[in-house]
């Protein structure tokens, strides 16, 4: 058994191929650690030791669709009119509340993410990942309109 990063395209396909009850099981958990009590987690990562990154991935997996070339999550939060105070609350929160609040955001935004890139945010979740999200948000929020004078 090894602890390795999974193939994320395969992970999304594996999730999509789960029975509806198994998918619902993953949506119902209240925090990432609860996933350890469900066989579905281990079916998604056969033969692997479960790393906290696996838990965060599966915790968000039901709420984030895959889309190549999707805009940044920060841009999608701006487009969904997420209040900046709410995003900053995610960034300031400690584990596990930060990831739980992040999932609530994802449930509202219903982001389309490129899992080939987005997995890094969840696998290495921490202060830097949260700062990157906040930065994406503010860059998108204050982006000059196309054709606007500088």
């Amino acid at each position: 058994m090894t602890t390795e990063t999974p193939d994320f395209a395969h992970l999304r396909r594996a999730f999509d191929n789960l029975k509806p009850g198994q998918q619902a099981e993953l949506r119902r958990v209240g925090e990432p650690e609860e996933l350890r009590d469900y066989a579905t987690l281990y079916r998604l990562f056969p033969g692997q030791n479960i790393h906290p990154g696996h838990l965060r991935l599966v915790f968000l997996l039901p709420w984030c669709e895959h889309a190549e070339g999707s805009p940044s999550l920060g841009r999608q939060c701006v487009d969904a009119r997420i209040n900046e105070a709410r995003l900053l609350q995610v960034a300031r929160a400690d584990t596990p509340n930060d990831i739980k609040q992040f999932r609530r955001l994802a449930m509202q935004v219903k982001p389309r993410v490129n899992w080939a890139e987005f997995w890094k945010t969840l696998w290495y979740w921490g202060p830097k990942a949260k700062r990157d999200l906040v930065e994406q948000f503010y860059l998108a929020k204050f982006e000059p309109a196309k054709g606007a004078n500088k």
Side-chain angles (χ1 to χ4, degrees):
M1 290 199 182
T2 62
T3 299
E4 56 190 50
T5 59
D7 171 356
F8 298 95
H10 174 73
L11 176 61
R12 184 65 211 191
R13 282 191 305 275
F15 174 78
D16 290 339
N17 290 326
L18 291 173
K19 294 176 183 172
Q22 292 171 317
Q23 289 182 2
E25 191 175 79
L26 300 179
R27 284 191 298 270
R28 280 193 298 266
V29 297
E31 57 186 74
E33 279 297 321
E34 288 178 29
L35 290 165
R36 292 184 189 275
D37 297 335
Y38 294 96
T40 304
L41 172 71
Y42 302 98
R43 286 189 178 93
L44 289 172
F45 303 107
Q48 294 184 43
N49 291 326
I50 300 300
H51 174 279
H54 290 106
L55 298 175
R56 290 187 295 268
L57 284 165
V58 174
F59 195 60
L60 272 287
L61 191 60
W63 310 107
C64 302
E65 291 294 323
H66 176 74
E68 300 282 329
S70 58
S72 73
L73 186 53
R75 160 55 63 201
Q76 292 180 64
C77 286
V78 169
D79 293 345
R81 301 188 187 280
I82 297 297
N83 185 304
E84 65 188 53
R86 190 159 173 224
L87 190 70
L88 290 170
Q89 184 179 26
V90 171
R92 292 180 183 140
D94 294 324
T95 301
N97 290 331
D98 56 352
I99 199 72
K100 289 175 10 182
Q101 290 172 358
F102 185 55
R103 183 174 80 162
R104 285 186 205 117
L105 260 179
M107 291 165 79
Q108 181 179 352
V109 173
K110 297 174 182 62
R112 297 181 59 76
V113 300
N114 181 349
W115 277 95
E117 292 297 318
F118 184 62
W119 74 269
K120 296 174 197 168
T121 299
L122 299 175
W123 192 264
Y124 300 110
W125 183 253
K128 182 181 179 336
K130 293 188 280 188
R131 278 192 307 269
D132 289 348
L133 176 61
V134 169
E135 185 173 288
Q136 289 172 10
F137 177 83
Y138 281 109
L139 286 172
K141 184 176 177 100
F142 296 116
E143 180 179 75
K146 290 184 180 180
N149 292 333
K150 292 184 181 182

